[in-house]
Amino acid sequence: MKVLQVSAEIFPLLKTGGLADIAGALPAALQRAGCDARVLLPGFSPIMADLQNSSLLTELHAPWGERVAVRLGLLASVGVMAYVIDAPALYWRHGTPYEDAQRKPYADNYRRFALLGWVGARLANGLDHQWQPQVVHSHDWHAALTSAYMAFTSAQQMYVASVYTVHNLAYQGLFAPRHFFELGLPASAFSVDGLEFHGQLSFMKAGLFYADHITTVSPTYAREIQTAEQGCGLDGLLRARSHDLTGVLNGVDETVWDPATDPAIAYGFDADKPAGKARCKTVLQQELGLTVQSEAPLFGVVSRLTEQKGLHLVLAALDALLAEGGQLVLLGAGDPTLEAAFRERAASRPQSVSVHIGYDEAYAHRIFAATDVTLVPSRFEPCGLTQMYGLRYGSLPLVHHVGGLADTVVDCTLEDLAGETANGFVFHHFETPSLLRAIRRAFALYARKAEWRAVRSRAMRQPLGWGNAAARYVELYRQVCPGNEGFL
Ligand code: ADP
Ligand code: GLC
């Protein structure tokens, strides 16, 4: 089956969060499941630089008249054939893929990402005579217009299905309605039965409305986004489409996240030979100037510092955590207020708290390897990858019971310890006392060495790879293009 994945980011070339990890791992996982997967990406400079043996597929005029090229080549770091939109005026900029250096969204984002969807739909429609996808699978609002353009492309001999995955409903891609007429969509699309959302242009809604099938990244989040509380104003539409909405839990890319072979960490380890983990902890404590102690747990946070991640609860619980003898190491960047608050805490307790503001892939690996507990107290979390990396690296996740966190972490209650299903710590009320009780449970278990080791070993053995998710996507692809059996 030929599947085209459309996304704005891809690990290891361009990453602002978990979306990139998924976009980087899914093509190979689909190939292993028997698909012929390719990707379509905007031509950001790291992506252009990685593209090997590329050839010009075609030159086109975007709906607003701008001339752009589409190249096809091998994306060497990912090992997948990639269509890349070569449009330096749109994509070669400083800052993140979405914002300038002052964290201001680029004014022409609606064009930059409409183009991604528009080219996706052209590829669905046979732009490359050598390779036409049967399914086009787009990810998050940046790629969401793919489904809308596909819905308005004249019928083909072969039906090409569209699948749209929501990685985070909170980021919607809202733009002023005046831009609608630049996008080349029929006027009928700008309506409540289309991509209009409270008078604005919503890329997210385009994906949700026009895709043949919608997925999101965990079963629990698939339910949560159909409620007013977590639906971000789109719950009505999501409820109306509930029969076309599936939660597929993300996997972990085990070629990147494996403590036995990870080149970023000082000592390798796994569930059978865990000794290296204690050494990684000592090395990190020494390096950061933390008191070297193995007797109390080291807590870790690797996170975007945003409202979503609930880290103000960690600030509120920190004194109690330190009073129990724990330590905290944090790597993150984002909200300046949170950055300043964590920096301040590190400055006042340098032997117990270490804070690094910034983005550092290798350091993230070392934190998972060294810490005993990975804190993920998110207010909401579509899937969450860091709790899964924590499991894999024997850093037991301590999480709020939402979204993918609820689907992957089982609390160390007496019954789940006895039933050998516990793999971490879970709190149910999004407030400091509830988090504190979970932290106390972590200390209590840590004091029972044999039990801690048993839970940690189970966590590290938990199957988290991409096999299940890839099989689930293939099943969905088959469902959405039933007329194509001959090709599948
Ligand atoms: P989200 O996509 O909402 O940020 P996820 O848990 O799905 O949350 O994915 C976050 C990804 O980004 C993980 O791979 C995590 O290790 C990584 N990450 C987050 N912050 C940093 C950072 N400051 N430095 C390095 N990696 C980070
Ligand atoms: C989003 C979500 C996160 C999820 C990631 C990958 O960034 O916030 O929960 O793990 O996408 O699907």
Side-chain angles (χ1 to χ4, degrees):
M1 187 184 328
K2 293 193 182 69
V3 182
L4 180 69
Q5 298 284 327
V6 188
S7 67
E9 303 183 20
I10 195 159
F11 180 85
L13 298 168
L14 197 67
K15 166 167 167 178
T16 69
L19 169 66
D21 289 2
I22 303 317
L26 191 52
L30 290 174
Q31 311 268 22
R32 286 194 295 275
C35 292
D36 175 4
R38 293 188 176 186
V39 299
L40 166 65
L41 296 157
F44 296 117
S45 47
I47 289 167
M48 293 302 289
D50 197 59
L51 198 64
Q52 286 188 358
N53 305 323
S54 79
S55 58
L56 180 69
L57 181 69
T58 185
E59 287 190 320
L60 299 162
H61 284 101
W64 53 89
E66 188 165 353
R67 201 173 165 81
V68 299
V70 180
R71 304 192 69 84
L72 172 64
L74 174 73
L75 207 56
S77 315
V78 187
V80 65
M81 290 301 288
Y83 298 94
V84 177
I85 306 170
D86 188 1
L90 289 173
Y91 300 129
W92 287 40
R93 303 199 178 157
H94 296 294
T96 77
Y98 321 114
E99 299 172 340
D100 65 18
Q102 281 70 48
R103 297 183 180 165
K104 219 171 123 252
Y106 296 116
D108 58 354
N109 271 349
Y110 69 94
R111 284 189 175 183
R112 302 168 78 229
F113 297 108
L115 185 61
L116 183 62
W118 184 74
V119 173
R122 296 295 299 265
L123 285 162
N125 206 34
L127 186 68
D128 181 353
H129 303 302
Q130 313 287 325
W131 194 92
Q132 186 181 5
Q134 292 150 285
V135 178
V136 179
H137 183 170
S138 53
H139 297 265
D140 262 356
W141 74 262
H142 331 103
L145 248 49
T146 313
S147 308
Y149 285 118
M150 282 173 70
F152 292 106
T153 306
S154 52
Q156 283 281 304
Q157 277 182 325
M158 181 179 86
Y159 185 73
V160 182
S162 61
V163 174
Y164 174 59
T165 295
V166 180
H167 292 263
N168 194 334
L169 196 65
Y171 299 96
Q172 301 198 345
L174 291 176
F175 300 100
R178 67 175 186 280
H179 298 310
F180 176 76
F181 297 99
E182 296 169 57
L183 302 184
L185 285 164
S188 62
F190 193 73
S191 80
V192 68
D193 288 328
L195 45 76
E196 184 268 343
F197 184 64
H198 298 291
Q200 300 267 94
L201 190 59
S202 166
F203 278 35
M204 173 63 76
K205 192 176 166 206
L208 300 181
F209 188 82
Y210 290 108
D212 293 317
H213 198 90
I214 305 162
T215 79
T216 189
V217 287
S218 69
T220 295
Y221 193 60
R223 289 191 296 275
E224 289 170 345
I225 55 178
Q226 295 180 55
T227 65
E229 197 190 351
Q230 290 222 45
C232 302
L234 290 162
D235 44 295
L237 172 56
L238 285 158
R239 281 194 300 277
R241 296 217 59 193
S242 61
H243 295 296
D244 303 320
L245 169 62
T246 311
V248 180
L249 191 71
N250 287 328
V252 167
D253 187 339
E254 291 171 326
T255 61
V256 178
W257 296 96
D258 179 358
T261 57
D262 191 333
I265 66 179
Y267 297 92
F269 59 92
D270 59 23
D272 293 323
K273 291 191 184 126
K277 182 160 177 74
R279 294 196 198 116
C280 286
K281 178 173 174 179
T282 307
V283 168
L284 191 73
Q285 285 171 326
Q286 281 167 342
E287 178 191 321
L288 300 178
L290 298 174
T291 308
V292 176
Q293 57 177 25
S294 61
E295 287 316 304
L298 176 60
F299 292 77
V301 174
V302 176
S303 184
R304 290 185 291 118
L305 302 184
T306 63
E307 155 75 13
Q308 173 190 345
K309 300 296 178 179
L311 293 165
H312 62 284
L313 294 184
V314 173
L315 284 169
L318 190 53
D319 283 339
L321 186 156
L322 300 179
E324 294 256 9
Q327 296 177 331
L328 176 73
V329 40
L330 176 140
L331 166 65
D335 174 9
T337 317
L338 279 171
E339 289 182 357
F342 276 108
R343 273 203 178 104
E344 209 171 281
R345 304 306 289 270
S348 66
R349 295 291 298 271
Q351 289 170 341
S352 306
V353 181
S354 167
V355 168
H356 180 83
I357 301 300
Y359 193 92
D360 187 335
E361 194 69 33
Y363 185 40
H365 285 238
R366 293 195 287 132
I367 291 180
F368 292 116
T371 49
D372 300 297
V373 179
T374 294
L375 291 172
V376 196
S378 308
R379 181 187 293 280
F380 66 93
E381 196 61 78
C383 176
L385 296 174
T386 56
Q387 86 281 11
M388 298 208 255
Y389 301 154
L391 288 169
R392 198 110 181 73
Y393 282 64
S395 178
L396 300 185
L398 190 158
V399 306
H400 180 210
H401 190 258
V402 281
L405 303 174
D407 292 336
T408 49
V409 184
V410 180
D411 198 11
C412 280
T413 57
L414 284 179
E415 62 273 28
D416 282 314
L417 284 169
E420 301 190 351
T421 48
N423 64 4
F425 311 96
V426 180
F427 66 99
H428 287 259
H429 303 290
F430 189 67
E431 51 195 34
T432 315
S434 187
L435 169 66
L436 273 172
R437 278 193 293 279
I439 289 176
R440 274 188 223 113
R441 272 199 301 289
F443 276 98
L445 191 75
Y446 196 77
R448 302 167 180 221
K449 291 293 171 216
E451 272 185 277
W452 182 275
R453 280 196 292 269
V455 174
R456 192 180 62 182
S457 169
R458 181 159 55 242
M460 292 176 71
R461 287 178 209 278
Q462 195 166 321
L464 294 168
W466 266 99
N468 282 346
R472 197 74 188 88
Y473 281 124
V474 172
E475 196 183 315
L476 280 174
Y477 298 156
R478 286 182 199 278
Q479 277 169 22
V480 288
C481 48
N484 279 348
E485 276 101 1
F487 296 89
L488 306 182

